[in-house]
Amino acid sequence: HYSLLCADQVFVYSLVEILLGGARVEGTGDETRSYTSIEIALVKRIFEALCTELTHAFDGIIDAPFTLAAVETNPRFAAITRENAVCALAKCRVDVLGVRGHLHILMPYANLEPVRDRLHKDRLTHAVHGQRHWKDILIERVLDKEHLS
């Protein structure tokens, strides 16, 4: 199954500018131009690293790694499912190397259905990360009178 990772163009150009030794500025001033082959290669490496991080984030939930299948400069050309398919969309604000931007992660429901039960587990955080569940911490803090004063 495929998912779609999409970053806004100004953010991508700014990251590429920094990676090539340029200044940390929001936007390069000419975001309407096409990407060069060097820029596409850098974007590919950035998204491959992001796929690795997504694989770690979903470890224990999904047994398959996230891998980069292709880089498209226009998300309209990335056909990952039927046009009318139900999908989950995560809109993230990111800050990388001092540059802020938006990253969208689109997952067709067909990708999430096989792991739906694991996503709904109340103790998911504890089971995956070995940490106390946020709900337990919150209840403890609310019940502890020292934190209320």
Side-chain angles (χ1 to χ4, degrees):
H1 298 287
Y2 292 100
S3 295
L4 179 67
L5 302 173
C6 183
D8 65 84
Q9 196 171 14
V10 173
F11 178 65
V12 171
Y13 278 123
S14 297
L15 274 181
V16 168
E17 183 75 18
I18 291 169
L19 291 173
L20 293 175
R24 292 184 178 175
V25 293
E26 299 280 332
T28 61
D30 187 17
E31 285 80 21
T32 58
R33 67 176 177 80
S34 298
Y35 291 99
T36 66
S37 58
I38 293 171
E39 290 169 331
I40 290 173
L42 286 171
V43 168
K44 183 177 179 183
R45 291 188 66 180
I46 292 167
F47 275 81
E48 285 172 341
L50 181 58
C51 286
T52 299
E53 293 303 316
L54 283 170
T55 298
H56 292 305
F58 280 86
D59 191 31
I61 300 169
I62 298 173
D63 296 328
F66 285 78
T67 56
L68 185 66
V71 174
E72 292 287 349
T73 57
N74 186 337
R76 292 177 189 226
F77 297 138
I80 61 168
T81 190
R82 296 181 327 270
E83 186 176 339
N84 60 348
V86 177
C87 297
L89 175 64
K91 295 181 178 182
C92 309
R93 290 181 59 201
V94 292
D95 188 340
V96 179
L97 300 173
V99 177
R100 289 191 174 113
H102 293 92
L103 177 71
H104 297 168
I105 304 170
L106 181 77
M107 289 187 167
Y109 184 73
N111 294 13
L112 299 172
E113 181 60 31
V115 295
R116 184 176 167 193
D117 291 339
R118 288 186 232 164
L119 291 171
H120 282 291
K121 284 187 179 177
D122 191 33
R123 300 289 177 179
L124 181 61
T125 302
H126 178 70
V128 174
H129 299 292
Q131 300 172 354
R132 292 176 53 201
H133 190 269
W134 64 268
K135 185 174 157 186
D136 295 338
I137 295 169
L138 184 60
I139 290 170
E140 181 181 293
R141 296 281 172 109
V142 169
L143 295 176
D144 186 355
K145 293 179 184 174
E146 291 179 12
H147 289 94
L148 295 175
S149 54

